[in-house]
């Protein structure tokens, strides 16, 4: 039963990924810059969280 | 006679406008009042106890900040007829969509736990065991959404919003110093002792409670579920403005209460403040405890709905409060299940509740900037928004607010992770 639920969920997720595969917002330079900055910001936050985690282990 | 006829005409016109507004009003007021959740009430009581009336002006300034951000969700929802989660998937693709959805689910779940912490702490003051509070709150919250009509849910939620104003009559009972309150409200200044790290942390906490990621998702989905159209936008804006005034009123009166009754004391949470109030005046303590419970309840309802709507939009489940349980089983099951789990976590002996509270601040920091940036980009897309896209003034105001919130919330998150860093 668990396997069936898992398979059906994965199928739904694949369907969602297909449905939204192409972004519909016009990719202007501003949009590219904003998304790039957002990626950098999130990587920085993840790095800080990892540092905190490793620091806590020590 | 002519004057009388004109007066009657104006009266009728005003009545018609009021009736129209009452039909549209709801999402803006609910989201703004629910923003004063258990965590918010704790922040305000701590601010008042620690800094007296000196920071009221700052909270008044946060009203327009909340309005400008939330107003964008009204326009986006009314024009696209999509919730924020679906709008992100559609506009930015599945990577950013999944990131936003999963981050929202995690943030909301952790925040819901803090709401239950607030509710149980408040009811404990009346001698109610934690499990009774959790069960009763869960049943009440489930009953509210299972009415099968958005309208009924909304009106019930508005009753709880009205109860959130309990701090206003409570403040009038204690004869607060009006002159000091006016000075703290009108003249921007820092408390005696100047701009310290402790003050900075509290200011950041106040900003953090004013704009939360779930608010953006909630209001946009509520606007869609209510069926607001482009022609209703003015009413939606007024609704949001009234809500932002109410959120500031509640915050200010919380500060007035603690600044008058427990000045200079360190308040860990709102329940501690209520306990101290009870020692001074039983009724005032009861008011604060009822307000805290109500704040937690409203917060939990809206936050759980924000996640349920988001999941429903993306997974294609029926996801309207106008549906009966049988018509939207996944939507309601998700709503009730998440609330139940969040409530049960609070009942687990030795659960790391302090760590969870801390984690909420950190996780929210990862989602809030993304949600705000997406909101501004979507509101600038002429293809999507047409004549309702952001004007130059709206862009200047919203980009400024977003930049400020990103900087402050990041510092707040970092200072929560590394408490000694900013000291």
């Amino acid at each position: 039963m668990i396997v069936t639920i898992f398979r059906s969920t994965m199928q739904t997720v694949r369907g969602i990924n297909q449905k939204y595969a192409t972004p519909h917002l016009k990719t202007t330079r501003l949009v590219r810059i904003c998304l790039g900055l957002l990626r950098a910001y999130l990587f920085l936050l993840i790095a800080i969280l990892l540092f905190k985690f490793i620091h806590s282990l020590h | 006679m002519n004057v009388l006829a004109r007066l009657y005409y104006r009266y009728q016109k005003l009545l018609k406008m009021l009736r129209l507004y009452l039909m549209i009003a709801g999402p803006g007021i609910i989201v703004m009042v629910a923003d004063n959740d258990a965590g918010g009430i704790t922040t305000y009581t701590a601010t008042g106890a620690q800094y007296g009336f000196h920071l009221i002006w700052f909270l008044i300034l946060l009203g327009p900040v909340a309005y400008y951000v939330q107003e964008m969700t009204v326009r986006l929802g009314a024009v696209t007829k999509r919730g924020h989660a679906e709008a992100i998937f559609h506009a930015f693709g599945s990577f950013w969509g999944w990131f936003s959805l999963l981050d929202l689910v995690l943030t909301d779940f952790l925040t819901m736990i803090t709401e239950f912490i607030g509710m149980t702490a408040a009811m404990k003051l009346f001698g109610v065991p934690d499990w009774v509070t959790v069960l009763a709150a869960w049943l009440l919250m489930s009953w509210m959404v299972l009415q099968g009509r958005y309208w009924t849910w909304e009106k019930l939620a508005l009753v709880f919003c009205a109860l959130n104003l309990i701090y206003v009559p409570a403040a009038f009972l204690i004869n607060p110093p009006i002159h000091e309150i006016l000075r703290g409200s009108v003249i921007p200044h820092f408390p005696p002792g100047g701009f310290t790290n402790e003050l900075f942390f509290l200011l950041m906490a106040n900003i953090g409670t004013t704009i939360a990621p779930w608010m953006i998702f909630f209001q946009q989905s509520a606007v869609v579920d209510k069926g607001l159209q482009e022609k209703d936008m003015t009413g939606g804006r007024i609704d949001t403005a009234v809500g932002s005034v109410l959120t500031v009123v509640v915050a200010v009166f919380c500060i007035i209460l603690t600044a008058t009754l427990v000045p200079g004391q360190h308040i860990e949470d709102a329940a501690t403040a209520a306990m101290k109030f009870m020692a001074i005046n039983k009724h005032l303590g009861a008011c604060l405890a009822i307000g805290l419970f109500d704040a937690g309840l409203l917060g939990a309802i809206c936050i759980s709905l924000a996640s349920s709507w988001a999941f429903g939009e993306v997974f294609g489940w029926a996801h309207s409060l106008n549906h009966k349980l049988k018509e939207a089983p996944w939507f309601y099951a998700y709503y009730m299940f998440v609330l139940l789990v969040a409530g049960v976590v609070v009942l687990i002996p030795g659960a790391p509740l302090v760590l969870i509270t801390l984690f909420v601040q950190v996780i929210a920091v990862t989602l809030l900037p993304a949600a705000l940036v997406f909101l501004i980009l979507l509101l600038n897309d002429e293809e999507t928004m047409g004549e309702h896209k952001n004007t130059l003034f709206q862009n200047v105001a919203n980009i400024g607010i977003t930049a400020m919130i990103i900087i402050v919330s990041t510092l707040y998150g970092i200072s929560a992770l590394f408490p000694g860093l900013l000291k």
Side-chain angles (χ1 to χ4, degrees):
Chain A
M1 191 187 167
I2 293 169
V3 175
T4 318
I5 292 171
F6 183 74
R7 269 194 198 143
S8 129
T9 310
M10 287 315 291
Q11 211 170 0
T12 315
V13 169
R14 268 196 292 272
I16 293 167
N17 284 342
Q18 265 173 4
K19 186 179 169 188
Y20 298 110
T22 326
H24 286 81
L25 193 81
K26 215 168 160 188
T27 328
T28 58
R29 191 196 270 183
L30 178 76
V31 173
R32 269 200 301 269
I33 291 170
C34 285
L35 294 181
L37 285 174
L38 209 54
R39 273 206 175 94
Y41 173 81
L42 290 171
F43 277 126
L44 181 77
L45 278 181
I46 290 166
I48 291 171
L49 279 170
L50 278 176
F51 172 77
K52 173 71 184 177
F53 181 67
I54 294 164
H55 192 72
S56 313
L57 285 181
H58 286 288
Chain B
M1 186 68 194
N2 198 11
V3 177
L4 273 177
R6 237 183 286 161
L7 273 174
Y8 181 72
Y9 171 73
R10 278 198 189 157
Y11 166 74
Q12 285 295 327
K13 202 175 162 188
L14 202 73
L15 213 66
K16 197 177 159 190
M17 273 169 64
L18 188 70
R19 244 183 255 141
L20 189 71
Y21 167 70
L22 288 176
M23 276 169 70
I24 294 167
I29 292 178
I30 293 169
V31 75
M32 289 291 191
V33 178
D35 178 35
N36 288 333
D37 59 356
I41 299 295
T42 293
T43 309
Y44 304 140
T45 48
T47 306
Q50 213 165 333
Y51 293 107
F53 307 105
H54 295 289
L55 294 177
I56 293 179
W57 62 273
F58 183 75
L59 278 152
I60 293 173
L61 283 182
L62 291 178
V65 170
Y67 168 78
Y68 270 103
V69 172
Q70 292 304 125
E71 185 269 341
M72 286 196 284
T73 66
V74 177
R75 272 187 285 146
L76 193 56
V79 172
T80 62
K81 314 281 183 294
R82 286 192 187 104
H84 200 54
E86 194 185 353
I88 292 172
F89 264 95
H90 184 261
F92 300 98
S94 51
F95 170 76
W96 287 113
W98 284 118
F99 163 76
S100 302
L101 184 68
L102 298 177
D103 213 348
L104 176 78
V105 168
L106 184 62
T107 314
D108 282 2
F109 177 67
L110 295 173
T111 315
M112 265 184 271
I113 295 173
T114 65
E115 306 302 354
F116 274 103
I117 295 172
M119 280 189 274
T120 49
M123 294 315 283
K124 210 180 264 174
L125 293 172
F126 297 111
V128 180
D130 289 353
W131 71 269
V132 175
T133 306
V134 168
L135 186 66
W138 182 75
L139 286 172
L140 179 63
M141 289 187 276
S142 303
W143 172 78
M144 277 177 74
V145 296
L146 288 175
Q147 299 302 308
R149 276 188 75 193
Y150 174 89
W151 192 91
T152 314
W153 171 82
E154 190 182 84
K155 298 313 163 218
L156 286 168
L158 284 172
V159 171
F160 286 107
C161 288
L163 189 62
N164 207 243
L165 293 169
I166 196 165
Y167 304 107
V168 180
F172 281 106
L173 288 175
I174 55 171
N175 294 319
I178 306 289
H179 178 73
E180 276 185 60
I181 294 168
L182 285 177
R183 189 179 169 271
S185 310
V186 180
I187 307 164
H189 65 283
F190 287 121
F195 193 80
T196 58
N197 289 321
E198 221 170 329
L199 173 64
F200 182 53
F201 191 80
L202 213 53
L203 292 179
M204 286 192 292
N206 276 294
I207 295 174
T209 57
T210 307
I211 291 292
W214 66 264
M215 292 169 69
I216 297 168
F217 288 81
F218 173 86
Q219 193 172 1
Q220 195 171 327
S221 295
V223 163
V224 175
D225 204 354
K226 186 162 182 163
L228 292 192
Q229 308 286 322
E230 288 174 43
K231 65 180 168 56
D232 304 320
M233 251 180 227
T234 311
R237 282 195 187 110
I238 296 171
D239 177 42
T240 311
V242 171
S244 65
V245 171
L246 289 178
T247 197
V248 171
V249 166
V250 171
V252 167
F253 276 86
C254 263
I255 287 186
I256 290 173
L257 278 171
T258 47
T260 310
L261 291 178
V262 283
Q265 294 190 32
H266 185 71
I267 299 286
E268 280 285 319
D269 52 65
T272 313
M275 211 152 65
K276 287 186 176 179
F277 279 20
M278 273 185 174
I280 301 165
N281 182 323
K282 210 167 70 180
H283 301 295
L284 278 176
C287 277
L288 189 61
I290 291 168
L292 178 62
F293 174 81
D294 182 60
L297 186 84
L298 257 180
I301 294 168
C302 295
I303 292 165
S304 189
L305 265 180
S307 297
S308 310
W309 267 322
F311 252 99
E313 289 155 13
V314 175
F315 278 77
W317 305 334
H319 58 273
S320 170
L321 287 171
N322 286 316
H323 287 128
K324 299 272 180 214
L325 178 62
K326 273 185 195 167
E327 296 162 338
W330 286 106
F331 171 65
Y332 289 117
Y334 180 84
Y335 169 87
M336 288 189 276
F337 176 72
V338 175
L339 274 176
L340 187 68
V341 176
V344 168
V345 168
V346 179
L347 299 179
I348 298 171
L353 300 180
V354 176
L355 191 71
I356 288 169
T357 313
L358 181 100
F359 216 64
V360 171
Q361 297 157 4
V362 180
I363 297 294
V365 167
T366 61
L367 180 59
L368 190 57
L372 287 170
V373 168
F374 292 150
L375 199 58
I376 290 177
L377 289 177
L378 284 165
L379 264 291
N380 276 293
D381 185 33
E382 199 157 9
E383 230 169 80
T384 312
M385 296 303 296
E387 57 175 312
H388 299 292
K389 73 176 231 176
N390 269 0
T391 59
L392 180 67
F393 176 76
Q394 282 168 330
N395 267 334
V396 170
N398 286 320
I399 291 169
I401 288 168
T402 302
M404 178 198 72
I405 289 175
I406 290 175
I407 292 167
V408 169
S409 62
T410 307
L411 286 173
Y412 186 48
I414 290 173
S415 59
L417 277 176
F418 307 96
L421 200 70
L422 294 175
K423 285 185 181 160

